[in-house]
Amino acid sequence: MDDLRKITIPTDPDEALAAVVALRRLADRIEREAVRSALQQGWSWSRIAQALGITKQAAHKRLSDVAESDSST
């Protein structure tokens, strides 16, 4: 993975804030795909939460729909 510290931060507020939104959306997408993969590989919510640095309850509350969407397909 590239060193994210080398990314230039836009000086224009419109560009900088648009970049923040884009990065948040990308991070959310990566997180959801990683959780989906972890669940498919048999990871527990406790293990997922530990990897994310949050509580099991927070992980389940925020991401439980990932498991639900998998079970409906």
Side-chain angles (χ1 to χ4, degrees):
M1 181 174 289
D2 291 338
D3 186 351
L4 298 179
R5 293 172 291 190
K6 294 180 182 177
I7 294 175
T8 304
I9 299 171
T11 56
D12 175 63
D14 282 330
E15 290 178 20
L17 293 170
V20 168
V21 171
L23 288 168
R24 283 185 181 148
R25 288 179 179 162
L26 176 59
D28 287 345
R29 197 172 90 221
I30 292 169
E31 179 182 56
R32 294 177 69 75
E33 287 301 318
V35 169
R36 180 176 288 111
S37 177
L39 289 169
Q40 288 173 344
Q41 293 179 41
W43 283 38
S44 67
W45 280 107
S46 294
R47 186 173 175 191
I48 291 168
Q50 183 177 17
L52 291 173
I54 59 177
T55 67
K56 175 184 170 183
Q57 292 80 7
H60 192 265
K61 182 177 181 179
R62 188 167 80 211
L63 297 159
S64 63
D65 64 313
V66 170
E68 292 167 3
S69 66
D70 257 9
S71 64
S72 65
T73 57

